[in-house]
Structures are given as C-alpha cells and as structure tokens.
Amino acid sequence: MLHLFFKKLIKSPNMQFTRNLVTDPKYGFLKQLGLSTENPGLYDGRWGGTGKLIESISPTSGQVIAKVRESTPEEAANAISEAQKAWPQWASLPAPARGEIVRQIGDELRKNLKPLGQLVSLEMGKILPESIGEVQEYIDICDYAVGLSRMFAGGIFPSERKDHALLEKWNPLGVVGVISAFNFPVAVYGWNSAIAMVCGNTIIWKGAPSTPLISIATTKIISGVLEKNGIPGSVASLITGGADVGEALVSDKRVSLVSFTGSTKVGKEVGLKVQSRFGKCLLELGGNNALIVAQDANLEMAMRAAVFSCVGTTGQRCTTTRRLILHKSIKTEFLGKLKTAFKSILGRIGDPMEDSVLYGPLHSQQALDAFKKTIKTAEENGGTIEFGGKQIDRPGFYVEPTIISGLSPDAAIVQQETFAPIVYILEFDSVEEAIALNNNVEQGLSSSLFTNNIQNMFKWIGPLGSDCGIVNVNIGTSGAEIGGAFGGEKATGGGRESGSDSWKQYMRRSTVTINHGTDLPLAQGIKFE
Ligand code: UN1
C-alpha cells in the first residue's frame, strides 16, 4: 500500500513485480507470502496508496524487484484516524485476550519463517541465516509478550492516610507510531508491535522506504490473524513513504508515542518535534560500538566474536563493532589473525539467499557512497587501510570488509557512525584507558570487553565502566537477546525496547488514591478546617 487499513480489506497490494520474479521458481516464496501475482501488470489494488511510485531494488543485483505506490501524508493522517477508531475495541479486550492474538501472530510467523526470511534476504540483502534469525527474533518477542500479557503488574503502596489505598495502575497510551529502519526490517517492528499490542495500543507502522515488500508481507501476516479474530486490521496499520509521511506521524497529536529507529541526526529532529507537542518518544539511534580485547582474554573467542560483530550483516547493525580497542601486547598478533579471518570471508561472498554465503552486499547505492566517502576521508586523515577498502567488482552494492588503523580516537571519522563494514583499530595499556576510549564517543549503544580478569569485569560493568546501554563481557557487541532491554545512552537516544520493563514505555502510569473511609484526612498532616 502502502497505505493499508485492514478494516477495508484489500484485494491485492499495489505492486508490480519484474517478470523474472514472477516466473522463476526460486522466488516461489513471494506467492507463499501473498505477494506474488500471476499477472505482472500493475495492480489497481485496494492496498494502494496514491503517493509516489517507488522502486524496490535488490542489493544483490542493483536491479528493480518491484514497484510500489507509497502513501501520501493525507493517507497517513487517515490511517491514524482508523487506528484511533479501532482503539477502544482493542483496549477493552482483557490483556491476556490481546496476548492470545499475539500468540497467533507468533504462530503465523513460525509458519512463514523461511519465506519471510527469504524476502528479507532478497530486499534487504542480509544473508539467509541472519534473515531467518530476525524473523525468529519477532517470534521470540511474541512469546515474551504473551507471557507479559498476564504479568505486567501495577503496585500497591502503603498510604500514610487512614482508610486509603494508594495504587499504581498501567493503562495503554492509544495510537503508537513505529518508524523503523532498513537494517532490521522485521525484528524492530516486531519488538515494538508485540509489546505495544499486548499493552493495548493500536499501531501505525512506517517501515523503511527501501523495504516496502517486507513491510507488506509482515503486515499481511498480522492482518490475517486480526481479521480471523474479528478485529479490525487497522489495529496494526501500515503506511510507507519518505520523510513527509514520517512527519505526518511525528507531528500528529493523536499519536501518543513515536518509536523511532534511525540516525542520530534524524532522531534528534523527531525527538524535538514530538516533545514540542508533549508526545512520548522512544529513540533507538546510532551506535559507535567498541570491542576491547585485554591481554588476558581468550583470544580465539575474542577473534570469532570480533569477526561476526564487525562484518555480520555487512556492518549494518546498530550494534556492529566499529572500534576494536586492542591491548598493546596482543595488537599485532590479533590484527594479523583478523586479516586472515577477513580474507576467508572474501571467499564466502555471494547472493545472500544462497546457503553457503556468509557475506552479502550493502543495502543501497547510498550505503555504498557512504562507504567510499569514509574510506577517502580516513586516508586523507592519515589512516592506514590494513584490509579491504574497495568496492567489489560484481553487480549490486558489494564492498570489502575493511580494517583501518593509525587514526586518532578523536578523529571526526572515528567519532561518527558509518553504516558499513569498517572497523578502526585503537590500542591501550591499562583497562582504565580502554574504558575511557570506549566512552570517548557521543553514542552509547553497545560495548564489549574480552577478559578473564574478574576485577576488570566488574570495573567494566560498574559506575566507572562502560557508559553504554549494552555492556557485554566475553561476547561481541551485536546479537542481543530479546529478554533484556535493548537501547543506548547519550546520542543513541536513551530508549529501551524489547525485554525487561520496556513495556512501561508503551503505557501511561496512573497513580490512584482511593479513600474507602468516611473522613477526609489531607497528606502531610495538613489541617484545613
Ligand atoms: C539494530 O541493529 O537495529 O543486537 C537492531 C542485535 C540485534 C538487533 C539489532 N538483536 O544486533
């Protein structure tokens, strides 16, 4: 639709696939997901918005996969009205009944684990095991949300007044807007929607403009479950488009919470705009994550973790390791082994949809341009390209995994997040120095220390340790589980999604005082007679 309200369903999405995708059995999963069509002509479907016709481009080939018509800002406003209309019905269901719907969504996702994973590989470009992993992440959070729907508890506090009950009750917010990024086109929406739904909110999702097919396929799975249960599809609506459509969500007072995942630059604007209308904001912005290897670390483990954290998802996770901080005594040895490991990765480059492939393309031309610009700037600033640094000569947006040394930790290029597989090598003498380097950036998402020294471990997780939201020991910076709260401090925005008590962000807190006596005592013993 890109603009869909599932209340008025939708015969077919307004999509046109290129002919080879319709006829090649390799792409049979499109049909399983309800996306494919026998007729490659442009559809006039009910899902269709009336905005711009955009192209979905395969990162693997650089070719157009499909054309999709986006929503307009007016249609986004309309979707908000529909979500608002659907809210009383949804919010009035008992929380465990909402949990039951989310359980069914999890089951449908289980059935579609592979096809949806394949679509993620096709349109986003990450390798199949990681694509399936992110659908699994959505399934995991559904399971978590189902349990939560019977567990999120308020509180009862001792009242200082006779015959008074002092309670805390959590209620849903209303309409929640979710703006997600291309790099986790399923899981991040999953974290937000599963929790927001059991909490009793209706949702409008704007996925990345470059992954519209994934947004449509995911929304179809959810809408199918909702409709089967007699619940309007507008409980979980989808809109697509660029900044103007996002803006419609951000500035509309009816959207109580805007959950935004993206760059620090855009997130700052979103945060300010939402705050200026006293809306709530949940920000998951850039990271500049460091992995520290101490001299007493298990180097074999540190190496394996560093390789996945640096080049997994082709360096396009918010949690990707961007700075490798090595103890002076092991630096040369570690760097040598890292280069060997990166070399072996080069032998496993290919179509992310194929089984043996470990390393896929960057997502887009824009990402490729950013990679090239960063390499150029690093070189101009005296950086040494230890490994990689070039575009790979094949169709699509492939680049070499890259290691750069010799730059100051304060260099502007090291301080910024480039969403690409580029890691900077820094060195240290003492663990205090390593912690200071870790904390020496604006962002504060993820961080790792490899050590077998228990004193240093506890220093690292303590008040004078890592200032990030995610603080790991002997595992890499990426690949967090859903059970903990996910998010970061400082310019990462301070939001927390997924596990722990993140659900509180999707609810409002009512402090309730009930006088069940016959007198009217005032707090603080005040007499007013
Ligand atoms: C993101 O990159 O936006 O911790 C999310 C991880 C994943 C989520 C990443 N579970 O790497």
Side-chain angles (χ1 to χ4, degrees):
M1 122 158 221
L2 289 231
H3 153 95
L4 335 164
F5 327 37
F6 288 100
K7 204 169 170 188
K8 314 162 185 158
L9 206 74
I10 317 175
K11 300 230 172 43
S12 50
N14 200 349
M15 293 178 285
Q16 176 190 36
F17 290 95
T18 52
R19 189 170 291 273
N20 66 331
L21 286 178
V22 180
T23 50
D24 187 338
K26 182 176 165 193
Y27 302 104
F29 61 86
L30 292 173
K31 198 165 187 177
Q32 268 168 275
L33 294 167
L35 293 184
S36 181
T37 154
E38 302 310 323
N39 171 8
L42 195 67
Y43 264 8
D44 177 24
R46 294 288 302 278
W47 274 42
T50 58
K52 272 193 313 232
L53 191 63
I54 51 142
E55 294 175 335
S56 168
I57 295 180
S58 157
T60 308
S61 64
Q63 301 295 309
V64 175
I65 311 168
K67 292 186 182 171
V68 183
R69 196 169 289 285
E70 294 188 325
S71 332
T72 62
E74 295 70 40
E75 286 162 341
N78 224 347
I80 298 170
S81 305
E82 293 292 323
Q84 205 180 24
K85 264 191 238 159
W87 182 71
Q89 181 188 347
W90 182 247
S92 303
L93 283 178
R98 295 193 298 260
E100 165 56 20
I101 308 287
V102 171
R103 187 190 65 72
Q104 292 176 32
I105 294 173
D107 279 354
E108 277 312 301
L109 287 164
R110 278 186 172 87
K111 284 186 212 151
N112 287 285
L113 181 66
K114 183 141 187 229
L116 192 52
Q118 285 171 301
L119 179 63
V120 171
S121 288
L122 173 68
E123 196 178 39
M124 184 278 159
K126 65 175 75 172
I127 60 168
L128 195 55
E130 288 197 58
S131 297
I132 289 178
E134 88 155 284
V135 181
Q136 184 61 47
E137 200 162 339
Y138 191 175
I139 294 169
D140 293 345
I141 199 73
C142 285
D143 288 353
Y144 183 93
V146 177
L148 187 67
S149 72
R150 289 183 182 270
M151 286 165 70
F152 47 72
I156 304 180
F157 306 102
S159 170
E160 67 187 49
R161 285 175 279 188
K162 185 169 181 304
D163 292 337
H164 279 56
L166 182 56
L167 317 175
E168 187 165 83
K169 164 106 175 66
W170 292 90
N171 286 308
L173 292 171
V175 179
V176 167
V178 179
I179 302 178
S180 61
F182 75 84
N183 68 328
F184 271 83
V186 174
V188 169
Y189 174 64
W191 297 344
N192 279 283
S193 65
I195 305 278
M197 282 174 87
V198 295
C199 288
N201 303 288
T202 55
I203 304 154
I204 318 254
W205 177 27
K206 186 182 101 59
S210 57
T211 52
L213 302 179
I214 299 170
S215 303
I216 293 171
T218 307
T219 305
K220 279 194 156 210
I221 289 170
I222 300 167
S223 72
V225 172
L226 291 172
E227 305 262 328
K228 217 164 52 197
N229 286 277
I231 292 164
S234 44
V235 162
S237 297
L238 172 68
I239 52 175
T240 19
D244 54 342
V245 176
E247 166 72 29
L249 275 187
V250 167
S251 27
D252 197 311
K253 275 192 171 158
R254 297 172 298 171
V255 181
S256 308
L257 167 73
V258 177
S259 171
F260 175 84
T261 304
S263 70
T264 293
K265 186 170 168 281
V266 179
K268 192 172 181 176
E269 285 169 32
V270 168
L272 289 169
K273 278 190 185 147
V274 175
Q275 175 61 39
S276 75
R277 62 172 175 84
F278 297 110
K280 288 182 198 286
C281 224
L282 204 173
L283 299 174
E284 297 290 353
L285 313 178
N288 193 347
N289 317 299
L291 188 154
I292 302 169
V293 186
Q295 72 270 42
D296 54 49
N298 176 330
L299 295 186
E300 162 64 23
M301 256 168 64
M303 174 63 55
R304 279 169 40 210
V307 173
F308 180 70
S309 287
C310 292
V311 310
T313 332
T314 318
Q316 298 168 107
R317 291 191 185 219
C318 319
T319 49
T320 294
T321 298
R322 312 230 173 261
R323 297 174 300 142
L324 201 47
I325 307 180
L326 305 175
H327 190 268
K328 275 187 179 143
S329 65
I330 52 105
K331 185 182 149 193
T332 311
E333 181 194 347
F334 198 87
L335 192 52
K337 286 192 175 154
L338 192 69
K339 287 188 202 173
T340 310
F342 274 33
K343 210 174 196 169
S344 71
I345 294 282
L346 280 179
R348 304 283 295 275
I349 290 183
D351 181 343
M353 291 178 71
E354 314 236 313
D355 274 345
S356 60
V357 168
L358 272 191
Y359 184 82
L362 283 174
H363 179 59
S364 61
Q365 182 66 45
Q366 206 184 342
L368 180 61
D369 294 344
F371 170 86
K372 287 182 182 166
K373 194 168 160 216
T374 296
I375 301 292
K376 189 163 169 270
T377 312
E379 281 179 317
E380 282 166 5
N381 282 277
T384 306
I385 311 289
E386 298 275 357
F387 192 91
K390 292 191 288 300
Q391 182 178 359
I392 295 171
D393 185 19
R394 54 182 295 155
F397 311 118
Y398 287 83
V399 299
E400 293 169 340
T402 300
I403 306 172
I404 301 178
S405 69
L407 287 172
S408 154
D410 296 321
I413 200 75
V414 177
Q415 291 283 321
Q416 91 186 27
E417 176 191 48
T418 302
F419 229 55
I422 300 173
V423 65
Y424 301 105
I425 305 292
L426 306 174
E427 62 177 38
F428 72 97
D429 260 327
S430 69
V431 163
E432 289 73 17
E433 206 185 321
I435 293 172
L437 282 171
N438 176 74
N439 295 351
N440 177 44
V441 288
E442 270 200 352
Q443 309 85 341
L445 180 55
S446 186
S447 56
S448 300
L449 170 65
F450 276 79
T451 184
N452 281 323
N453 176 314
I454 197 150
Q455 275 122 15
N456 288 339
M457 258 180 221
F458 278 86
K459 194 173 287 169
W460 172 242
I461 66 169
L464 305 182
S466 166
D467 62 4
C468 293
I470 297 172
V471 184
N472 291 337
V473 178
N474 295 336
I475 66 160
T477 55
S478 64
E481 307 172 16
I482 57 101
F486 182 93
E489 303 296 334
K490 305 195 289 185
T492 303
R496 291 297 187 279
E497 287 173 354
S498 197
S500 183
D501 63 352
S502 305
W503 60 269
K504 289 183 176 169
Q505 291 176 99
Y506 303 87
M507 301 198 101
R508 63 182 172 82
R509 182 196 318 246
S510 308
T511 301
V512 182
T513 312
I514 301 173
N515 179 355
H516 53 88
T518 51
D519 200 2
L520 201 62
L522 295 176
Q524 295 86 44
I526 293 172
K527 297 279 174 237
F528 194 76
E529 278 157 9

